[in-house]
Amino acid sequence: MSFVVAIDGPAASGKGTLARRLAAHYGFAYLDTGSLYRAVGQAVRDADGNPADETAALAAAQALDISRIDEKAIRTREAGEAASLVAVMPSVRAAILDFQRDFAANPPDGQKGAVLDGRDIGTVVCPDADVKLFVTASPEVRAHRRWLELKNSGSTVSEAQVLEDTKERDARDAGRAASPMRQATDAHLLDTTDLSIEAAFGEAVRIIDKSMS
């Protein structure tokens, strides 16, 4: 039976970095569920469609092939905004939900466990996960991290605009009717505002090891 670690939290909280390190540490499969929504939103944009069009978004979700996801293309600011738009759609979420649950229950390549990160892993996708973590940080710190990433990739967007985008996205993710972002009642909180990735990783390993023993 697969050992499942569910990691939730807002954008640029550090949950993706933490999830990848934990998966490597334990030899588990890793799934960035946010990339699925980014890929759907980007696919609609690539077809000159509107990510707010649920029919177009659902068609893209049903045709999604994770082996063909362009990681660079889905990491742009525009792809992130498109992801937040399609992620509020119940039909799109339903189309992707089964895939996520199957990945958690049956990790690829015979791996013994899976680490999934997203917005609703511990509350909706894997409510029975063996360990749940909720990783967060202040909007200002998260916006600064994201701005540095975008700047390093050549973007000229201002930090003030990224902060505004971050707050708007938080409101959408937490306020949507379908699977809103929230901390599961049994999730461990990791606030990385003043916490290094090393410290966060150490705390997460302590929590997971305790659950495994």
Side-chain angles (χ1 to χ4, degrees), residues 5-194:
V5 179
I7 303 181
D8 292 307
S13 60
K15 68 180 184 298
T17 300
L18 180 62
R20 281 188 290 272
R21 286 196 58 176
L22 289 171
H25 178 76
Y26 290 104
F28 289 173
Y30 167 62
L31 181 64
D32 170 9
T33 65
S35 70
L36 305 180
Y37 293 102
R38 282 176 171 267
V40 169
Q42 186 60 31
V44 176
R45 293 183 73 247
D46 287 344
D48 295 323
N50 181 356
D53 178 352
E54 187 162 357
T55 300
L58 177 58
Q62 292 172 333
L64 187 62
D65 179 353
I66 61 170
S67 68
R68 301 183 65 182
I69 293 177
D70 183 337
E71 283 295 324
K72 186 175 181 180
I74 68 171
R75 296 302 165 189
T76 64
R77 176 188 170 210
E78 292 78 12
E81 287 299 299
S84 192
L85 290 171
V86 302
V88 304
M89 302 170 181
S91 63
V92 173
R93 301 195 71 81
I96 292 178
L97 181 60
D98 285 345
F99 173 84
Q100 296 174 99
R101 286 179 169 166
D102 183 65
F103 184 97
N106 305 287
D109 303 320
Q111 289 162 300
K112 301 298 184 182
V115 180
L116 291 80
D117 80 68
R119 300 289 193 279
D120 63 343
I121 309 303
T123 54
V124 175
V125 179
C126 300
D128 297 323
D130 297 278
V131 173
K132 299 178 186 179
L133 302 173
F134 191 85
V135 184
T136 190
S138 71
E140 290 76 17
V141 166
R142 290 187 288 112
H144 182 68
R145 292 172 182 167
R146 183 59 179 148
W147 174 72
L148 288 176
E149 290 178 358
L150 292 169
K151 182 181 178 183
N152 290 337
S153 66
S155 173
T156 58
V157 65
S158 70
E159 186 169 354
Q161 182 60 57
V162 177
L163 176 58
E164 183 178 334
D165 291 347
T166 298
K167 290 180 176 178
E168 288 179 355
R169 184 168 181 184
D170 285 352
R172 276 203 302 269
D173 289 344
R176 67 192 181 206
S179 306
M181 178 185 67
R182 60 182 175 83
Q183 181 180 344
T185 56
D186 54 347
H188 300 269
L189 177 65
L190 285 179
D191 189 327
T192 65
T193 301
D194 300 307

